[in-house]
Amino acid sequence: MTMRRVAMTATILACVLGLAACGDSDGDKGTGGPGNGAGGSSAAQGGSTGKGKTGTPLADVDPCTLLKPADVPQLSQDNYAQPTKLSIPGKPTCSGYDFAVEINDGGADVHDMEFNSSRAKALSDISGHKAVMTQTTTGSARDCAVSLDVTAQEYVRVTVTAGDNPTQTCDIAKKAAEVVAGRLSS
């Protein structure tokens, strides 16, 4: 069982790092309009879509403050696997045992890809944030990610890796995204 957890955690980290490499190209930098780089508030104000909103309201937000394992009982509650903040340029990430929360400020093009790709399945708004879901299977590991729109350039992705019951992964990811959206809107 421990080896399985290590493999799942490695899969999440590989996905996060792989996505980080995709978003750091020169074409993603310098995008944006008048508010690019502006501080804004420490929490997003919501809205059904981020189009029209600019700036980086999540610039100083620690992703580990957005979701704790105790917020969603289906996430691992093991004390030895506390969430850890990873420093990935443009994508601060909090990696827990079976989940990750990533704040993405990759610009309008990366934002558009996240919400309009053929893999993205539209969900109902979550606490006023446009939401999409994607599922990935790598070998025997399966994960489900829910992305929440914040501005035209920023979004938050909550990824949950399948535990003992892979059929519930997306339900758990949606619950985790609801917690994160609530904290973004407060």
Side-chain angles (χ1 to χ4, degrees):
M1 187 62 141
T2 302
M3 200 61 178
R4 180 178 178 194
R5 288 182 179 187
V6 170
M8 284 184 213
T9 301
T11 300
I12 286 178
L13 289 175
C15 289
V16 168
L17 294 174
L19 291 170
C22 291
D24 285 340
S25 67
D26 289 336
D28 293 333
K29 295 182 181 171
T31 8
N36 194 19
S41 66
S42 64
Q45 295 302 312
S48 65
T49 69
K51 306 298 180 200
K53 291 182 183 175
T54 59
T56 54
L58 300 178
D60 297 323
V61 175
D62 178 348
C64 289
T65 63
L66 298 176
L67 181 66
K68 306 277 186 214
D71 295 329
V72 181
Q74 294 90 341
L75 294 175
S76 175
Q77 302 297 315
D78 294 331
N79 287 331
Y80 69 87
Q82 293 300 309
T84 305
K85 184 176 178 183
L86 306 173
S87 296
I88 302 171
K91 294 170 187 53
T93 302
C94 183
S95 181
Y97 173 74
D98 51 2
F99 75 94
V101 176
E102 174 188 329
I103 297 173
N104 191 305
D105 182 17
D109 291 340
V110 172
H111 181 281
D112 187 52
M113 261 190 340
E114 183 73 12
F115 286 86
N116 297 307
S117 79
S118 61
R119 293 183 50 225
K121 175 186 173 193
L123 299 174
S124 297
D125 286 3
I126 300 176
S127 296
H129 295 275
K130 178 180 175 182
V132 297
M133 179 177 64
T134 56
Q135 296 181 57
T136 307
T137 303
T138 307
S140 63
R142 178 177 177 188
D143 67 41
C144 189
V146 176
S147 296
L148 301 167
D149 183 52
V150 178
T151 68
Q153 297 174 195
E154 285 185 313
Y155 62 90
V156 176
R157 179 187 299 129
V158 180
T159 304
V160 173
T161 301
D164 296 330
N165 191 347
T167 60
Q168 294 180 350
T169 304
C170 288
D171 291 336
I172 298 168
K174 288 178 196 174
K175 287 179 187 176
E178 288 170 6
V179 171
V180 171
R183 290 198 172 120
L184 290 172
S185 298
S186 61

